[in-house]
Amino acid sequence: MASGGRAQDRLNRVVRVIAQNMVAEVCSIYLTRAGGILELFATEGLKAEAVHQTRFLPGQGLVGLVAERGLPLNLSEAPQHPRFVYRPETGEELYHSFLAVPILRTGRVAGVLVVQNVTPRRYSPEEVEVLQTISMVIAELVGSGELVAPEELTEDSAATGEPITLDGLALANGIGAGVAVYRQPQIQVTRTVADDIDAEQIRLEDAIAEMRLQLEQMLEHPDLAHGGEHREVLETYRMFAYDQGWQDKMRDAVLSGLTAEAAVDRVQQENRARMQKIRDPYLRERIADFEDLAIRLIRIIQGDRENHKTKLTEDAVIIARTIGPAELMDYDRRFLKGIVLEEGSSTAHVTIIARAMGVPVLGRVQGLLSHVRPGEHVIVDTASARAYVRPGDDVIETYRTTLALQEKRLAEYAAERDLPAETRDGHKIDLFMNAGLLVDLPSLDSTGAVGIGLFRTEFQFMVSPALPKVDEQTKIYSAALDAAGDRPVVFRTLDIGGDKPVPFLPRDEEENPAMGWRAIRIALDRPALLRYQLRALLYAAAGRTLHVMFPMIADVSELKRCKKILQKEVDRLKLHDRVPPRDIKVGCMLEVPSLSWQMDLLVKEVDFLSIGTNDLMQFFFACDRSNPRLADRYDLLAPPVLKFLKMIIDACGEANVPVTLCGEMGGRPVEAMALIALGLRRLSISPTSVGPVKRMIRSVELEKLRGFLLSNLSSPEHSIRDSFISFARDHNIKV
Ligand code: PEP
Ligand code: MG
């Protein structure tokens, strides 16, 4: 590689040397051109005329498969593989065994390196390892730009400079604007092959030690001195810094002949490529944590012990594939206006930290890095789940107006904070808020909510590496009750599983996790988990009122089993001389449709009920709540939904059981308008929805609205939204 000459000549020499050393009859290099097309660039063993002629479309053939997966493929009988595509110009029909590895460059597949043999055989793990190491060296040559034009390699669509809009997923709400700042300047690994393996081993070990030291110091930072989720997230992150598997992989890579930084980079590249395939959101995020650590580690190896704090000097939007939780705290909060990520999920550690910091985050933006260049103007708007890159003057102007309007509205909502949520004809509605983290608690005062209608206790479990102990749980529940004072807090017991994985509970692959082993199903199968949680809730509520609610109840018998467990824990208090709560109110979520056919029995078993429309509606319509393709398929203002909800609300009304709705639906003013028209008097919504929903309520004449809604319940339309909005407009209802 170091021998100089034209890049193509070097490539030709490289395939020859690899073929000789690996005793392979064929060695070929395919490189990625614009549009993901893989072109044969050099070969030893295949026909020379195929070079620059043979091409595979993305995903086509075995070469396309390796590029698509980003993982090696080792076959003893390649022609029998279902994805094998025969190319007559190559003359490859002679060869049976096939080993291919991706050529990875900054997380993208820049090509594929292949060796083939006539005799059918599987290549050994050592051979796979060697080929991967070589592919890394080739990646550097590809990056030189001599073989394929750099813009083709990066698919750089930013080249045109046109304004574009990128769609994503709102992870932490808000709106912000600034210049694009790449997460950090790309780290460059310039030296890949070790001169002295022993010296490289020492460099790696020293750097690992230094990285750990840095993390320990970070955890001692005065800003983090207090407990809470931030700290737990960082503790988890620190745990990864001690992960044995990760270190072993890096050590092995050094032993295979790479420099320390190249070894870290190679393991990181493999992780990244694998990440593209993993569906489990929890695992994906954990790999993102490793990536963050890897970058830290390479910096240290390369002598940047300050960890290269990215200095922001003007309003900025951070652009990254993914970002680690600790790293976010390296940025100056005054200038940090937003984050846009190619990856990311609502349960990612960085999302939780960003929410706590009040920074808007837009995630899952496809092709982000190829659309934005550092220094370009970016606007993040999570309300529309979009990022505007190089926005035109019209968009900037609109954004300025929106921001000004938002500030004005927020000021108005704040001014209306102490006004009652009462309709013009005197019907009072109780507006509760949803919470789950300690950082949510100050919103109780700032919004004027009458209490917490849904406290999602699983959040604490999701950010903890190990099962939180009873006293740790008690601390959080006490803090919520302290913050609420006389206002009620409804604690929902663990709703884990499904889309809310926790690190300490091993999970089987499930076809349908939302309908799988989750929430109360786990709790009833593993009663100790529920018992400890109930114990913590009872301790926290000593002398006060405890509201406890069970999730995902499908029939009354499940609820009765939960109540029995609760009773056992209440009895246990006496044995241990603990002060019991002053009063205990027990309720459950109605989020599985089957339960609604037992309303007569249910109302006798509960002190209150909460309708969880997020889940209830996905089961009602058989429509996955997390599938973006189905997001607009069904409307919650559809006659069947409204009739169904009316049946539940009426049954509770007749039995005098307070019923709340705590799904996202209640936080949207138009939907909330329909809900109060159906007779609902309690909504539990996100803190930011309290202002707009209250404003709607105060502008409504409920009796008139109810008459209108009831007359529309039997409409054959897909949705009555349009006529509902027209009604609001005609009657000056602020939605
Ligand atoms: C619901 O399902 O409506 C609900 C509030 O619970 P979660 O969104 O936490 O599943
Ligand atoms: Mg739910």
Side-chain angles (χ1 to χ4, degrees):
M1 293 300 298
S3 63
R6 276 195 329 135
Q8 178 72 51
D9 296 339
R10 271 188 283 163
L11 213 52
N12 294 343
R13 233 173 302 146
V14 164
V15 286
R16 208 173 317 132
V17 173
I18 298 172
Q20 274 167 10
N21 280 282
M22 292 193 67
V23 201
E25 277 101 24
V26 175
C27 174
S28 312
I29 292 174
Y30 293 82
L31 295 182
T32 313
R33 280 208 173 277
I37 290 170
L38 288 148
E39 179 179 308
L40 181 65
F41 261 68
T43 185
E44 170 74 15
L46 296 184
K47 291 184 183 162
E49 54 267 35
V51 173
H52 296 301
Q53 296 303 319
T54 298
R55 290 180 164 196
F56 290 100
L57 294 174
Q60 194 183 33
L62 298 179
V63 171
L65 181 65
V66 171
E68 182 183 278
R69 290 188 181 160
L71 288 174
L73 185 65
N74 185 352
L75 301 171
S76 55
E77 276 295 353
Q80 283 173 19
H81 192 283
R83 297 279 286 267
F84 179 80
V85 173
Y86 174 54
R87 285 297 164 77
E89 74 274 13
T90 59
E92 68 176 330
E93 64 273 23
L94 295 172
Y95 307 104
H96 291 267
S97 34
F98 173 99
L99 171 64
V101 298
I103 299 170
L104 297 167
R105 221 187 112 69
T106 55
R108 288 182 195 284
V109 176
V112 175
L113 174 62
V114 184
V115 290
Q116 289 172 279
N117 281 82
V118 176
T119 331
R121 72 174 182 104
R122 267 182 83 77
Y123 297 87
S124 70
E126 290 72 33
E127 286 173 307
V128 179
E129 176 89 353
V130 165
L131 207 63
Q132 280 180 303
T133 303
I134 297 170
S135 91
M136 203 172 155
V137 183
I138 295 173
E140 289 311 309
L141 180 66
V142 175
S144 71
E146 288 178 76
L147 292 160
V148 181
E151 56 274 18
E152 279 198 52
L153 282 175
T154 55
E155 291 177 39
D156 194 348
S157 73
T160 58
E162 295 284 310
I164 63 164
T165 307
L166 301 174
D167 291 321
L169 185 71
L171 296 178
N173 287 337
I175 184 165
V179 295
V181 171
Y182 264 60
R183 175 198 191 181
Q184 54 224 320
Q186 289 281 350
I187 40 163
Q188 287 288 343
V189 175
T190 42
R191 232 170 39 85
T192 45
V193 183
D195 299 326
D196 175 351
I197 290 187
D198 291 344
E200 294 304 327
Q201 278 179 309
I202 294 169
R203 286 178 80 217
L204 180 68
E205 298 306 327
D206 281 356
I208 291 174
E210 169 69 23
M211 174 188 68
R212 288 179 180 167
L213 192 71
Q214 281 188 3
L215 288 174
E216 303 302 334
Q217 283 166 352
M218 193 182 281
L219 277 156
E220 278 162 24
H221 193 278
D223 285 354
L224 294 170
H226 61 286
E229 301 74 31
H230 313 45
R231 197 174 169 89
E232 283 174 28
V233 164
L234 292 170
E235 295 275 9
T236 313
Y237 180 81
R238 176 175 57 175
M239 203 178 68
F240 288 127
Y242 288 84
D243 185 272
Q244 205 53 47
W246 181 52
Q247 286 164 37
D248 288 348
K249 273 196 198 149
M250 295 188 294
R251 286 176 185 137
D252 287 350
V254 167
L255 287 176
S256 80
L258 294 178
T259 59
E261 55 265 56
V264 180
D265 196 31
R266 202 193 73 220
V267 173
Q268 182 203 348
Q269 302 237 19
E270 278 173 25
N271 279 343
R272 262 199 228 137
R274 259 190 219 121
M275 187 165 72
Q276 317 295 334
K277 291 192 342 169
I278 290 176
R279 279 172 61 203
D280 183 320
Y282 183 78
L283 282 180
R284 278 176 83 108
E285 292 310 330
R286 299 304 67 79
I287 291 171
D289 285 353
F290 278 128
E291 182 164 0
D292 194 37
L293 287 171
I295 290 172
R296 211 167 266 275
L297 202 50
I298 293 177
R299 290 239 162 89
I300 296 170
I301 293 171
Q302 294 184 334
D304 182 3
R305 286 186 187 251
E306 275 295 287
N307 192 33
H308 196 95
K309 290 204 173 179
T310 311
K311 297 216 170 30
L312 302 179
T313 50
E314 56 183 322
D315 287 355
V317 172
I318 306 297
I319 305 290
R321 176 174 289 106
T322 178
I323 186 169
E327 198 187 326
L328 197 55
M329 305 180 68
D330 286 342
Y331 292 104
D332 185 339
R333 177 67 193 92
R334 284 172 306 162
F335 298 119
L336 182 56
K337 297 298 173 192
I339 299 165
V340 189
L341 305 174
E342 271 195 4
E343 291 286 329
S345 77
S346 55
T347 56
H349 287 165
V350 63
T351 308
I352 293 169
I353 298 271
R355 276 193 206 125
M357 290 168 75
V359 180
V361 183
L362 185 72
R364 304 272 174 90
V365 178
Q366 285 188 2
L368 170 70
L369 302 185
S370 43
H371 290 301
V372 192
R373 285 178 175 167
E376 290 178 336
H377 202 73
V378 178
I379 298 173
V380 189
D381 177 12
T382 60
S384 62
R386 285 193 166 146
Y388 300 90
V389 182
R390 303 175 290 277
D393 291 345
D394 50 340
V395 176
I396 294 179
E397 197 44 50
T398 312
Y399 157 74
R400 277 209 192 104
T401 318
T402 310
L403 202 67
L405 212 66
Q406 179 177 292
E407 270 163 18
K408 184 168 161 265
R409 282 228 183 96
L410 287 178
E412 284 170 6
Y413 295 147
E416 290 167 8
R417 197 193 66 156
D418 297 324
L419 298 178
E422 194 172 306
T423 65
R424 284 169 52 199
D425 46 352
H427 294 276
K428 213 174 145 297
I429 313 291
D430 288 332
L431 292 184
F432 293 82
M433 63 167 236
N434 294 344
L437 295 170
L438 293 179
V439 290
D440 295 328
L441 298 178
S443 300
L444 256 179
D445 290 333
S446 64
T447 60
V450 299
I452 296 177
L454 167 64
F455 191 93
R456 290 183 164 104
T457 58
E458 57 272 10
F459 284 3
Q460 184 193 13
F461 288 69
M462 286 162 70
V463 298
S464 304
L467 177 73
K469 297 199 184 81
V470 171
D471 60 335
E472 287 164 353
Q473 295 181 45
T474 307
K475 237 187 252 166
I476 291 214
Y477 307 149
S478 292
L481 288 167
D482 292 347
D486 294 336
R487 293 165 290 196
V489 179
V490 179
F491 293 99
R492 180 176 70 183
T493 63
L494 279 184
D495 182 7
I496 51 177
D499 64 335
K500 297 168 185 157
V502 288
F504 48 84
L505 202 68
R507 302 198 309 147
D508 295 331
E509 185 71 25
E510 289 186 304
E511 281 274 328
N512 264 312
M515 296 197 274
W517 196 54
R518 59 174 281 204
I520 210 66
R521 300 167 186 181
I522 297 181
L524 291 175
D525 291 353
R526 300 267 188 280
L529 206 61
L530 180 61
R531 273 200 1 249
Y532 290 143
Q533 182 174 32
L534 292 171
R535 196 171 296 171
L537 285 167
L538 289 166
Y539 288 171
R544 317 189 245 198
T545 301
L546 172 66
H547 290 79
V548 59
M549 165 160 91
F550 300 101
M552 283 292 284
I553 297 289
D555 71 16
V556 168
S557 77
E558 281 182 342
L559 175 65
K560 283 185 158 177
R561 286 172 66 194
C562 296
K563 286 173 67 175
K564 250 193 205 150
I565 297 174
L566 174 62
Q567 189 54 50
K568 270 196 192 149
E569 282 303 315
V570 173
D571 295 343
R572 188 184 164 278
L573 288 178
K574 283 181 212 128
L575 295 176
H576 289 78
D577 267 344
R578 303 284 302 222
V579 183
R582 188 177 52 200
D583 193 7
I584 303 177
K585 302 268 186 214
V586 180
C588 80
M589 299 276 293
L590 199 159
E591 51 185 344
V592 182
S594 54
L595 189 61
S596 63
W597 273 272
Q598 287 192 310
M599 290 305 295
D600 51 342
L601 299 175
L602 181 62
V603 291
K604 296 196 188 100
E605 292 293 333
V606 289
D607 297 310
F608 64 91
L609 200 67
S610 197
I611 307 175
T613 43
N614 301 344
D615 275 312
L616 186 63
M617 287 300 129
Q618 73 167 345
F619 302 132
F620 185 74
F621 281 119
C623 182
D624 185 348
R625 79 192 240 191
S626 58
N627 186 336
R629 276 196 189 201
L630 299 175
D632 301 323
R633 183 120 199 154
Y634 299 103
D635 192 1
L636 295 189
L637 292 185
V641 174
L642 300 172
K643 276 184 177 168
F644 180 52
L645 294 178
K646 182 169 183 300
M647 186 267 286
I648 298 166
I649 295 164
D650 287 351
C652 291
E654 278 159 29
N656 247 331
V657 168
V659 55
T660 311
L661 187 139
C662 61
E664 294 304 307
M665 176 185 191
R668 297 191 285 263
V670 178
E671 277 84 340
M673 190 175 131
L675 293 170
I676 61 171
L678 287 174
L680 204 63
R681 295 294 173 267
R682 293 152 62 106
L683 293 172
S684 190
I685 56 188
S686 72
T688 48
S689 299
V690 173
V693 170
K694 187 196 277 187
R695 170 165 278 219
M696 177 279 294
I697 291 169
R698 292 180 54 81
S699 63
V700 156
E701 224 173 290
L702 194 57
E703 291 308 326
K704 235 190 229 169
L705 176 69
R706 184 170 170 82
F708 175 76
L709 181 82
L710 295 182
S711 68
N712 270 283
L713 278 188
S714 295
S715 156
E717 298 294 323
H718 178 70
S719 160
I720 59 165
R721 181 174 299 272
D722 288 347
S723 43
F724 219 66
I725 291 176
S726 304
F727 181 92
R729 210 169 285 141
D730 294 347
H731 293 80
N732 273 331
I733 301 174
K734 295 176 182 158
V735 287

